[in-house]
Amino acid sequence: MRERRLVESAGTGDRSAFTELYARHRDLVYGLALRLTGERDLAEEVLLESFAAAWVNLPRFRGDSGFGTWVCGIAVNRARDATRTRTRRRSRVVAVDPARFGAGVAAWTDGARHAETRIDLERAIAGLPPGAREALVLRHVHGFSCAEAAAIMGVTEGTVKSQTSRACALLRETLEHD
Amino acid sequence: MTEHLTDLEIYDLAGGVAASPARAAHAADCAACAAQVEETRGLLEAVAELDPRIEAPARIESELDRRIGERPQGPRRVSVSRFRAAAVAILCFAGGALAHAGWTGGAAGGNADDRLGVRALDVQQAGTEYVVAIARLADDANRLSPADRRAGREVALAAMSGAAYELGRLSGPDPITADIHRLIEKAWLGPAGGAP
């Protein structure tokens, strides 16, 4: 069934339609939540809370954006709330470990396909400041346009660009330091 | 030599966004800036290769199912549906009680043993539905407001009182049935036995 029809049905209380929407978007939202929070338990909480909120608010969803974009926006806000309540990030699943960046820039430019390098990159992304991380993940991992990312983050497109460029600069710096 | 490229200019150039001629010229002449643009380009390619999807734990779906089931259309609807369950219970009970009254009154027509079986079955069915409805009410009690919970309890006790009364009529003078009825009346109306 087309997504628009699913959204309409779910908005009128059709739980099977909502379950289908969940099945289609859960891994994307979980991926986003895990990258933004850095903790599995928080990411699970964000995933659950995001879809629970989507269910309640679907009747008011106007369809200005796709359902996926809309629910990702909810997830970003929930991830911010969730991480804000944590005083420490000690149990980060993808905690930054500078010792893992020994390969340096050459490794990820020449061999980014290797799993180990990808893990290093994930760790470096996890170590970014929240705003820079949000912008980079939304723009370049999830592929949202600058305008979509701005709408999701609730900032201007200029802020998205500046946060993304900052993220790139920080990543370069992190990966260059052995 | 002009100033080095800013982070934003490096990002723009890495993404193929044209800079002003002067800045583009700097990027071409400055080895350090050119290297940073290339590094950023490679970095963005690597980031884009990361899979945005990460498999969500399966148990979240059942938890979500439970969560959205709690409030399908807002909390008030939940309360209404609980009262509907209680109302169904009372109607079922009333049907069973009427069936029982018809049987004890010796309605005309048909074999007496057959009628007894049908009436008993009616009562059994009504009783089962009643118990199920009350169980549902009890299951959701923690999600009801205190006022709704009290009202649900009163409805259930009223039905139980009616059932105990009919049971007394069926069994005749029976101290155990009388005690059950008295206890239910006490729980429903309070120790003073005032009207609800």
Side-chain angles (χ1 to χ4, degrees):
Chain A
M1 191 186 291
R2 291 178 68 87
E3 184 153 297
R4 190 171 173 178
R5 179 67 64 82
L6 284 173
V7 169
E8 286 171 1
S9 298
T12 61
D14 182 343
R15 285 176 65 170
S16 64
F18 189 72
T19 300
E20 176 62 25
L21 285 171
Y22 174 77
R24 290 185 185 190
H25 295 279
R26 66 185 168 205
D27 292 347
L28 277 173
V29 174
Y30 183 65
L32 177 63
L34 188 55
R35 286 188 171 103
L36 295 188
T37 63
E39 296 181 27
R40 288 191 202 283
D41 58 342
L42 279 188
E44 289 172 15
E45 187 183 314
V46 168
L47 174 66
L48 182 60
E49 292 286 335
S50 300
F51 275 92
W55 170 253
V56 171
N57 291 299
L58 254 178
R60 290 186 287 279
F61 174 54
R62 294 173 303 182
D64 295 338
S65 63
F67 176 80
T69 306
W70 180 63
V71 79
C72 279
I74 297 174
V76 166
N77 281 318
R78 299 278 165 169
R80 285 176 186 163
D81 292 343
T83 49
R84 210 174 283 142
T85 57
R86 287 286 171 99
T87 53
R88 296 182 68 193
R89 295 183 292 178
R90 60 189 170 191
S91 57
R92 294 185 79 94
V93 170
V94 282
V96 178
D97 177 6
R100 298 297 308 274
F101 298 127
V105 173
W108 50 256
T109 51
D110 296 333
R113 284 89 186 151
H114 299 297
E116 193 175 341
T117 309
R118 282 203 298 271
I119 292 169
D120 288 345
L121 187 54
E122 292 276 21
R123 287 181 169 154
I125 291 170
L128 291 170
R133 190 168 63 238
E134 274 180 25
L136 182 82
V137 169
L138 287 170
R139 285 282 286 117
H140 295 285
V141 179
H142 283 257
F144 287 112
S145 69
C146 196
E148 287 172 329
I152 289 172
M153 292 174 67
V155 298
T156 64
E157 291 185 43
T159 302
V160 170
K161 277 185 72 173
S162 92
Q163 288 281 27
T164 314
S165 64
R166 181 173 169 237
C168 289
L170 290 169
L171 283 181
R172 284 199 314 268
E173 194 178 322
T174 303
L175 293 166
E176 278 169 358
H177 284 88
D178 291 349
Chain B
M1 192 174 202
T2 56
E3 285 182 6
H4 288 301
L5 298 175
T6 64
D7 289 340
L8 190 54
E9 288 170 328
I10 290 168
Y11 174 71
D12 274 346
L13 282 169
V17 176
S20 67
R23 304 306 285 153
H26 174 86
D29 292 342
C30 175
C33 285
Q36 286 189 325
V37 170
E38 277 311 302
E39 285 170 7
T40 302
R41 190 171 291 138
L43 173 65
L44 290 176
E45 283 172 7
V47 170
E49 284 185 5
L50 296 175
D51 191 347
R53 294 175 179 273
I54 298 177
E55 191 176 345
R59 62 189 164 74
I60 301 293
E61 185 167 352
S62 55
E63 177 66 16
L64 177 67
D65 209 39
R66 193 187 66 76
R67 287 279 291 274
I68 67 177
E70 282 177 10
R71 40 178 180 169
Q73 297 293 332
R76 191 60 200 163
R77 289 288 185 88
V78 174
S79 297
V80 169
S81 69
R82 296 303 100 201
F83 279 118
R84 190 179 298 142
V88 167
I90 289 172
L91 287 173
C92 289
F93 168 75
L98 284 173
H100 161 66
W103 164 55
T104 53
N111 179 284
D113 286 343
D114 287 347
R115 287 202 305 276
L116 171 63
V118 170
R119 305 304 190 214
L121 204 59
D122 284 344
V123 172
Q124 185 183 12
Q125 185 182 342
T128 303
E129 290 184 47
Y130 167 77
V131 169
V132 168
I134 295 296
R136 285 181 185 150
L137 187 66
D139 280 347
D140 287 334
N142 62 337
R143 291 192 278 273
L144 297 175
S145 69
D148 283 351
R149 201 182 307 174
R150 277 196 300 274
R153 177 180 175 274
E154 280 198 3
V155 168
L157 284 170
M160 287 168 68
S161 173
Y165 172 75
E166 292 297 337
L167 188 61
R169 285 180 58 204
L170 176 66
S171 57
D174 173 5
I176 295 176
T177 306
D179 279 347
I180 291 171
H181 190 205
R182 194 163 48 248
L183 283 171
I184 293 170
E185 290 274 292
K186 193 174 170 183
W188 177 29
L189 305 174

